[in-house]
Amino acid sequence: MSTKSELLKLLTENRGEFISGQAIAAQLDVSRNSIWKAVARLKEDGYLIESRTNAGYRLVSKDNILTVDEVMHNVTRNCSLEIFDTVTSTNDLLKEKMAAPGPHEEPLVCIANRQTGGRGRLGRKFESPAGTGLYISFGLKPTFDIDKALFVTMASAVATCRAIEKICPIKAEIKWVNDIFVNEKKVCGILTEGVTNFENGKIDSLVIGIGINCFPGSFPPEIADKAGTLAQDPSEFRRSMLAAEVINEVLALIDVIETREFFKEYRKRCFILGRPIRIHPNYNDIGIPAAALDIADDGGLIVEYTDGIDKGKRETLHTGEISISIGH
Ligand code: BTN
């Protein structure tokens, strides 16, 4: 671990308390000059560190910023992480990286503080304001059959729910297939995309993009009543901690995806099962009333139409041009 990371750990553990330069030097076994340089680097990263003569250093307060050091300090899986302040879309960035020649053996992870062109399913925009969300993408070279993209989205949804519940005292539920809800409001969306190999023109890697609304931000009026957040105030949890847990949980479940271990939990968390829904194929605004019955073994949603010419008919829906609203 670098001196900067070790110092950050020490200051975080003693948040608000002064620690003398001498005590830090002895604990980290480095010179006072190294500490001074590490403090300067942490300040460059945005940490507010107060230094006082005869008292030492203390972490006064800091914005809820995302840093590679703080995230990787809590990551237990093997991966390569980059964090950016502003990008168009973390999925676009990783799609470019994965399409470029290279072995890409270790998962690539990319996080942004803000996206100017965040994308959701069905060509929708994903609002990604600065400082209040977590926008994270994974670039993977899966060893499983690439047509399991739906499973990847489902496993990622379960993993993200687990991560959220580790960090916040809330219950995270899934709306088939890729949305996470808390208290009946959408707090997270997942977008899985295939990447074409630059050399052979085939899809051989995947990008999983996860967008989480952490704290209240500036949502446009059309989604303000549907979108929720994990917490009300940025002091309630560190986005870096959430990022680390999302990385740990997603990579752990992707590793065992073929065991379908996540399926049972997905069904349990999928709150639309047994409830009336409306199916909106081809962007049809009115939608067709139906009941959501179960999740099929291939990940499709089994529904029964409850009105119209197809009343009583059962069908298994797969991802694509279908969106679902809750209630009749
Ligand atoms: C949806 O709600 O339909 C899916 C939203 C996925 C948003 C995430 S944020 C990180 C990654 N980058 C993007 O442009 N989209 C995904």
Side-chain angles (χ1 to χ4, degrees):
M1 211 196 293
S2 67
T3 306
K4 187 175 88 167
S5 305
E6 286 191 296
L7 177 62
L8 176 61
K9 185 168 179 271
L10 193 62
L11 291 174
T12 309
E13 282 166 0
N14 296 279
R15 190 189 298 255
E17 302 292 318
F18 278 105
I19 317 174
S20 73
Q22 198 181 4
I24 298 172
Q27 199 151 332
L28 305 189
D29 196 21
V30 293
S31 68
R32 302 282 290 265
N33 193 37
S34 305
I35 295 168
W36 185 84
K37 282 186 190 159
V39 167
R41 278 198 225 107
L42 286 173
K43 283 182 176 171
E44 277 165 24
D45 284 349
Y47 290 94
L48 288 177
I49 296 170
E50 189 182 354
S51 37
R52 195 179 289 171
T53 319
N54 297 330
Y57 301 96
R58 72 170 173 174
L59 198 55
V60 181
S61 68
K62 53 188 158 74
D63 294 334
N64 203 323
I65 54 169
L66 291 152
T67 67
V68 172
D69 273 341
E70 197 182 344
V71 177
M72 288 311 283
H73 185 68
N74 295 291
V75 166
T76 53
R77 317 288 305 190
N78 186 34
C79 66
S80 158
L81 170 68
E82 280 187 288
I83 299 185
F84 301 88
D85 182 58
T86 305
V87 297
T88 313
S89 150
T90 51
N91 264 32
D92 289 351
L93 194 77
L94 271 189
K95 278 171 87 176
E96 257 173 53
K97 283 182 193 273
M98 296 304 288
H104 306 307
E105 266 152 20
E106 117 184 305
L108 302 183
V109 184
C110 165
I111 297 176
N113 183 46
R114 167 175 173 251
Q115 296 184 118
T116 53
R119 297 183 291 106
R121 277 181 67 237
L122 311 176
R124 292 189 188 121
K125 190 173 177 206
F126 187 81
E127 292 296 332
S128 316
T132 55
L134 177 65
Y135 318 112
I136 178 167
S137 295
F138 296 80
L140 306 171
K141 251 199 154 3
T143 48
F144 51 84
D145 206 352
I146 207 85
D147 63 8
K148 301 273 190 313
L150 190 55
F151 286 3
V152 173
T153 304
M154 294 169 77
S156 303
V158 169
T160 305
C161 286
R162 289 180 183 176
I164 288 172
E165 289 179 0
K166 271 192 177 170
I167 299 294
C168 304
I170 52 179
K171 186 171 165 218
E173 298 181 296
I174 298 170
K175 184 182 139 207
W176 185 87
V177 58
N178 67 323
D179 290 337
I180 297 179
F181 275 58
V182 169
N183 297 327
E184 308 245 324
K185 296 215 169 187
K186 177 169 168 173
V187 295
C188 167
I190 300 170
L191 177 67
T192 306
E193 300 181 284
V195 183
T196 309
N197 181 295
F198 188 72
E199 282 151 7
N200 63 19
K202 290 188 178 150
I203 290 183
D204 74 349
S205 50
L206 288 174
V207 169
I208 309 165
I210 303 172
I212 307 177
N213 306 331
C214 298
F215 314 113
S218 42
F219 291 122
E222 63 273 17
I223 63 160
D225 60 331
K226 294 186 194 133
T229 58
L230 300 189
Q232 287 311 305
D233 191 273
S235 63
E236 289 180 46
F237 69 87
R238 309 268 323 138
R239 283 186 301 159
S240 286
M241 288 298 294
L242 177 64
E245 289 306 340
V246 170
I247 295 171
N248 291 338
E249 297 291 343
V250 167
L251 293 181
L253 266 194
I254 294 293
D255 259 7
V256 294
I257 199 158
E258 280 179 305
T259 65
R260 295 165 165 240
E261 180 236 292
F262 63 89
F263 241 82
K264 206 169 151 201
E265 188 172 334
Y266 187 94
R267 283 198 177 98
K268 215 166 146 194
R269 288 188 185 269
C270 186
F271 71 101
I272 62 169
L273 297 184
R275 287 180 60 171
I277 58 170
R278 271 179 183 271
I279 299 161
H280 303 260
N282 307 318
Y283 301 100
N284 171 359
D285 264 346
I286 303 161
I288 309 159
L293 301 181
D294 200 359
I295 305 294
D297 287 345
D298 67 355
L301 179 69
I302 304 171
V303 298
E304 183 174 305
Y305 293 99
T306 50
D307 204 359
I309 49 167
D310 284 330
K311 189 173 175 189
K313 187 178 144 196
R314 283 189 181 194
E315 198 172 10
T316 303
L317 307 177
H318 293 93
T319 192
E321 304 303 299
I322 296 161
S323 71
I324 283 169
S325 57
I326 309 152
H328 275 166

